[in-house]
Amino acid sequence: MTSAIPAATYLPDFLAARATERPDAPCWLFDGRTWSWAEADASVHQAAGALRAEGVGAGDRVAILDKNSPAILQVLLGGCLVGAATTVVNWRLAGDELDYVVNDCRAKVLFVGHQLLDQLALVRDRLEHVEKVVVVGGADDELEAWLASATPIDRQDDVTPDDVCVVMYSSGTTGRPKGVQLTQAAMVEHSLNGGGSITYADGDMMLVAMPMFHVGGTSYALLGPVNGVPGYIVSEVDATLMAGGIMAGCTHAFLVPAVVAALVAAGPQAMQLFGRLKAVGYGAAPMPPPVLRAAMAAWPDTSFQQVYGMTEFGGVITLLEDAAHRDAEHPERLTSAGRPVWHAEMRIVDPITLQDVPAGASGEIWFRTPQATIGYIGRPDDTAALITDDGWVRTGDLGRVDDGGFLFIEDRLKDMIITGGENVYSPEVERVLAEHPAVAEIAIIGVPDDRWGETVKAVVAFRPGLSATSDELIAFARQRLAGYKVPTSIDVVEALPRNPSGKVLKRDLRKPYWGDAAR
Ligand code: ATP
Ligand code: MG
C-alpha cells in the first residue's frame, strides 16, 4: 500500500513529503518524459525562485494558457511558495473571452503553450497587466531556461494558508465565467476531503485528462501528490492519448459523463481497454443512467465514484461511493450524487424564505465547508449573493436528501421550468427520454407559452441510423411521467452544444425562444 497521507498545511508540502519519501519514483509522466518526485519538487522551488525574480509575490496573479502539462502544476505550486495565485486559462476561449479572463485576474506573467501562440497574438495588445510572456514547450520553449535561470527558493515568510493560490474560472454555463478565489487552506482541505473513498496501492497511476482550466482537472491532478500516486498527464481529452495512458498502466481516472458516453458509443474494443481502470470518478454534469449502466456492465472490475462539485468548493463537495452504486436495497441511489465530503455541512433551503425545507423536500442546496471560496474576484455583488453572513454557500442547484443522507440533484435553479405553477426539473425528464433507444443526447428546456407561462421542450440528437417522431417521443414520456412534465414539442439537432467539460449550454438552446431574455 502507499504510505500515509502527509499532514500538510500548504499545497507544495505534499509534493515535498513525497519527494523525501520516494525521490526517484515517477511523479509526472507527460509526452514521453518522466519527472521523479525529487525532480518535480525541485522544479516547483525553481518556479518559485523564477517568479520572485520577475517581481511576483504575495497577492499577485499569474496565468497559464496551455493544454494540460506539468508546467501548470509547476507554476501553480511555485506560486504557492511566493503567495501568488495562478489562473489556468481555458485555451478554447476565443478572442475577447480570452482577454476578459487574463485581464479579469490581472495576471502579471502569462505562460503560453507553444501551440497557442497564434491565439495569443490576436489578443496580446489588449492584455492590460501582463508584463512578461513565457512560452511553454515546442521549439520555442522558454520555460526550461526560465526555470534553470533562477535560484530555487523555499516558501516565503509572508505566505499564509489564507493566501489565494488559484483563481479558477467557473465553467460559464449560466453566464460569463466567474473568477473563483481559492486559498491554499481551501485547496488543502479539498485535497484531503475530496479524495473520498478511493484507495491506492503501489503501482497505481492516475490518468489526468480532464482540462486543468476547470477546477476538476486541476484538483484531480493535485490528488497525485497527496496520495503519492504518479499522474500520467495527457494534453487534452483525446481518445488516442487517453488509450496510451491506459496502456501505460493508468489505474485511476476522472471522466465527465460526456466522455464516458463517447467511450460507450465507441464500441466494445474501446470499452474493453478502459475496463482496465480500477477506479473511475465521474461528475460535473448529470450522468445519463443508460450510460452509467453500460459502463458498469462493461467494466465489472472497476469501482465507480460519482462526484458533485463546483468551482466554488475547489472541486468535489459530495460523493457517491462504489458500494452505493450497487446497493440492492436502494437501486434509486444510482442517480444520487451521494453524501457530503468530510468537514462539509449541507442544508436544503427554500430559495425564497431562506428557511430549511421539511425533511425530504426539495430546495436549494447549501454547504458550509472550509473548502469554500472567499469569493469571486472583482464581483462583490455576486460574492454577496453566493455566501451568506454565516458562511453558507448557495449552490444555485436544487435537490433533496433521502433518509440515508443521500443528495439527489434535481436541477439548476436557473434551468428549472415552471409550467402552470408546477415545477419541472429538467434532468428528471432527461433521464426518462435518455432511455428511449433512438436517443443519443437529450436536453430539456422551458420555452414561452401563452397559457402556461412556460412549457417543456425536448431537444434531442438521435443515434446514428436511428430516429423517432415527436409523437413517439412524447408518447414514450407520457407513459413514464406526470402530464405537466411531458414535453409538448421536440427539436432535433445533430449534437447538443456543450462546453469543454461536457456541460450542455442550455442558455444557447433557450436563446431562439426567449431572445435576450434567455436565462
Ligand atoms: P457558471 O457558474 O459559470 O455558470 P458552472 O456552474 O457550470 O458555470 P462549475 O463550477 O464548473 O461551473 O460547475 C458546477 C455545477 O456543475 C454545479 O453547480 C452543478 O450544477 C453541476 N454539477 C457538478 N457535478 C454534478 C453532478 N455530479 N451531477 C449533476 N450536476 C453536477
Ligand atoms: Mg456555477
Side-chain angles (χ1 to χ4, degrees):
M1 291 298 287
T2 53
S3 57
I5 289 173
T9 314
Y10 296 92
L11 275 182
D13 290 358
F14 291 113
L15 188 58
R18 298 304 182 184
T20 306
E21 182 185 87
R22 56 188 76 184
D24 301 324
C27 168
W28 295 322
L29 297 91
F30 175 71
D31 205 15
R33 183 173 165 193
T34 301
W35 283 255
S36 69
W37 290 98
E39 286 167 336
D41 184 51
S43 72
V44 164
H45 289 271
Q46 276 179 309
L51 285 169
R52 193 178 64 174
E54 299 293 349
V56 174
D60 287 331
R61 255 97 51 181
V62 300
I64 179 159
L65 171 67
D66 197 7
K67 298 186 176 183
N68 286 358
S69 80
I72 295 177
L73 298 168
Q74 290 168 324
V75 169
L76 190 157
L77 293 168
C80 287
L81 294 175
V82 299
T86 299
T87 289
V88 187
V89 184
N90 182 344
W91 52 268
R92 291 178 163 218
L93 297 179
D96 64 340
E97 295 175 312
L98 195 61
D99 59 57
Y100 158 73
V101 168
V102 179
N103 288 336
D104 192 62
C105 72
R106 301 178 158 260
K108 275 172 92 169
V109 179
L110 176 66
F111 300 84
V112 56
H114 65 104
Q115 70 280 56
L116 298 165
L117 283 169
D118 289 348
Q119 230 162 301
L120 174 67
L122 296 175
V123 299
R124 178 63 186 98
D125 58 358
R126 297 207 296 270
L127 301 182
E128 290 163 13
H129 310 281
V130 172
E131 293 164 11
K132 163 117 186 163
V133 173
V134 179
V135 178
V136 180
D140 305 325
D141 179 68
E142 296 168 347
L143 182 73
E144 288 296 325
W146 182 80
L147 288 174
S149 69
T151 310
I153 57 170
D154 288 328
R155 186 174 63 246
Q156 300 297 284
D157 291 341
D158 55 354
V159 176
T160 79
D162 296 328
D163 289 339
V164 175
C165 70
V166 286
V167 179
M168 271 288 162
Y169 279 76
S170 62
S171 295
T173 310
T174 56
R176 274 215 147 170
K178 301 177 285 277
V180 176
Q181 305 179 86
L182 293 157
T183 64
Q184 279 205 65
M187 290 307 288
V188 166
E189 278 284 343
H190 178 273
S191 301
L192 297 174
N193 303 341
S197 57
I198 300 277
T199 52
Y200 302 88
D202 284 335
D204 282 353
M205 184 155 72
M206 304 169 68
L207 177 63
V208 180
M210 297 319 298
M212 289 195 219
F213 56 75
H214 285 314
V215 78
T218 291
S219 59
Y220 189 70
L222 291 171
L223 291 181
V226 176
N227 294 287
V229 181
Y232 184 103
I233 301 172
V234 296
S235 57
E236 61 185 300
V237 176
D238 169 274
T240 311
L241 290 175
M242 289 169 61
I246 305 293
M247 286 187 287
C250 283
T251 52
H252 290 63
F254 175 72
L255 305 171
V256 297
V259 171
V260 181
L263 290 172
V264 169
Q269 220 178 342
M271 281 300 270
Q272 201 185 0
L273 180 66
F274 280 78
R276 293 188 198 172
L277 288 168
K278 289 205 275 190
V280 169
Y282 65 90
M287 170 62 105
V291 173
L292 179 57
R293 286 197 303 267
M296 288 174 67
W299 305 337
D301 301 325
T302 304
S303 83
F304 286 82
Q305 185 182 49
Q306 185 190 170
V307 300
Y308 160 64
M310 256 171 84
T311 313
E312 288 83 346
F313 300 124
V316 180
I317 194 69
T318 71
L319 55 90
L320 184 75
E321 298 180 5
D322 184 65
H325 283 73
R326 305 168 199 279
D327 182 348
E329 279 180 32
H330 290 287
E332 77 286 358
R333 286 188 182 153
L334 203 60
T335 60
S336 158
R339 290 178 289 194
V341 298
W342 291 334
H343 300 170
E345 299 169 83
M346 176 169 68
R347 285 169 63 191
I348 306 291
V349 174
D350 182 319
I352 310 287
T353 65
L354 306 188
Q355 301 300 311
D356 284 23
V357 298
S362 300
E364 189 183 6
I365 312 163
W366 290 19
F367 293 98
R368 189 160 59 185
T369 162
Q371 288 175 217
T373 176
I374 57 165
Y376 302 117
I377 199 164
R379 291 171 172 251
D381 294 347
D382 288 326
T383 300
L386 177 76
I387 310 174
T388 69
D389 290 345
D390 48 355
W392 288 88
V393 175
R394 307 180 60 163
T395 64
D397 291 319
L398 292 166
R400 64 186 166 78
V401 175
D402 74 8
D403 54 11
F406 286 77
L407 172 69
F408 289 77
I409 298 161
E410 294 178 316
D411 210 346
R412 287 178 184 255
L413 257 169
K414 288 190 171 173
D415 288 349
M416 190 185 73
I417 301 155
I418 305 179
T419 179
E422 299 279 5
N423 294 348
V424 177
Y425 303 124
S426 55
E428 184 189 358
V429 187
E430 287 159 6
R431 275 196 291 272
V432 164
L433 279 170
E435 301 285 351
H436 189 284
V439 171
E441 293 186 289
I442 171 88
I444 295 292
I445 56 168
V447 293
D449 183 86
D450 286 345
R451 178 151 176 224
W452 304 111
E454 270 186 288
T455 184
V456 179
K457 176 185 274 296
V459 184
V460 298
F462 291 120
R463 292 183 192 286
L466 296 178
S467 67
T469 65
S470 297
D471 286 348
E472 283 164 353
L473 290 173
I474 290 170
F476 184 88
R478 182 161 294 127
Q479 281 165 10
R480 294 162 176 85
L481 288 168
Y484 65 92
K485 299 178 185 172
V486 173
T488 54
S489 63
I490 313 270
D491 285 356
V492 177
V493 294
E494 284 289 310
L496 293 177
R498 290 179 188 273
N499 70 9
S501 47
K503 294 174 197 272
V504 176
L505 295 172
K506 292 198 176 177
R507 70 194 147 95
D508 289 359
L509 294 175
R510 282 192 285 258
K511 210 159 192 161
Y513 300 96
W514 296 93
D516 288 336
R519 289 168 292 179

